[in-house]
Amino acid sequence: STPGDAAMSSTAKGVLVVAGVSGALIIGLVALLLLRCVSAVIQLVVPKSVAKPKPKKKEAHVESSTATAAVDAVNRGPDLKSLIKDQQKASKASKGTSKDDQASHHELFLNTLKGHGDVVCSVAWSADGTQLLTTCEDMMVRMWELLDVTNRNPKFRHLRAAKPPIGAAWGDASGSVTVLMKGTPDYLLAGYTATADKDGHINYDQEWLVTNPHGREPATMLVGAVK
C-alpha cells in the first residue's frame, strides 16, 4: 500500500465516526418526539374527571371548618351584636324608671342625698356616724343629719366657702369644720365654728385661715381626727 492509501483510510474512519455520532443524535431526537406525542395522545384520550377525584376532600375540609367555627363560637361567648341587642332591650325597659329607682336595686344602695348643684368633691362622716360632711364645686359645704340613713329628706346645715372647696373634715369642737379650698394660685385652709343667732339659726364663722399649707405643692385631700 502507498502513503496515499493510508491517508484515505484514516479519513474514511473519521467520516464513519462522525456519521455514527450524528445518527445516534438523530435517533435520540426522534425517540423524544415520539414520547411526547404518545403522552399528548394519552392526555387527550383519558378523561380529566377520572384522574382528579377531589370533591370528597373538599367536603371533608368544609365539614371540619364548620365544626371548628362552632367550637370557636362557643369558646368566645356572645358576639358583639348580641351584646348590643341585650343592651338596647335593657335601656328600653329602664326608660320608664328614674335613676334613683334603678340604683335602689343594688344591694349596697341606702339613699340619695340631693341638693348640691355641681360635682361633689369629698365626703366625711362624723365620729359618731350620724352626720355627713360634703363639699361641692358649687362653693357650698353641707352638713347632713343622718340619724336615719334611709331618710329621703334629711335636715342639713351649710356654709359658703370663699373658694371652691375640695375637701373638708370635722374638728375637735362640736360644730367646728375645717375646709380645704382651691384658689388661684394659692390653696387655702380655713377653720369654721358654728354659732347660733337670736332666732336659733346656725351660722358658721371663719376663725382662722392658712394660705398654701404645703408651700408650692397643691393640697388634694383633708382628713380629720376627732379625739
Side-chain angles (χ1 to χ4, degrees), residues 15-93:
V15 171
L16 290 174
V17 171
V18 172
V21 172
S22 300
L25 292 174
I26 292 171
I27 293 172
L29 291 174
V30 172
L32 181 61
L33 291 174
L34 288 175
L35 288 175
R36 288 187 177 181
C37 291
V38 171
S39 63
V41 172
I42 291 173
Q43 290 180 359
L44 292 174
V45 173
V46 178
K48 293 182 179 180
S49 59
V50 177
K52 298 180 179 180
K54 292 184 178 179
K56 292 183 179 180
K57 293 182 180 180
K58 290 183 178 179
E59 291 177 359
H61 179 69
V62 171
E63 291 177 357
S64 63
S65 299
T66 304
T68 303
V71 173
D72 292 340
V74 172
N75 293 333
R76 287 197 304 267
D79 57 1
L80 182 59
K81 290 184 178 180
S82 61
L83 291 175
I84 293 175
K85 288 182 180 179
D86 294 341
Q87 182 64 30
Q88 290 176 348
K89 290 180 180 179
S91 62
K92 288 181 180 179

Side-chain angles (χ1 to χ4, degrees), residues 98-148:
S98 63
K99 291 183 179 180
D100 290 344
D101 293 334
Q102 295 177 23
S104 63
H105 294 291
H106 196 282
E107 58 183 1
L108 299 179
F109 175 81
L110 293 176
N111 200 353
T112 300
L113 302 178
K114 298 180 179 180
H116 281 301
D118 210 324
V119 178
V120 175
C121 300
S122 69
V123 295
W125 284 99
S126 61
D128 58 3
T130 62
Q131 297 184 82
L132 185 66
L133 187 62
T134 60
T135 62
C136 179
E137 290 185 357
D138 61 0
M139 309 291 287
M140 303 303 293
V141 179
R142 293 197 176 200
M143 288 68 72
W144 307 83
E145 295 182 6
L146 296 176
L147 293 173
D148 180 10

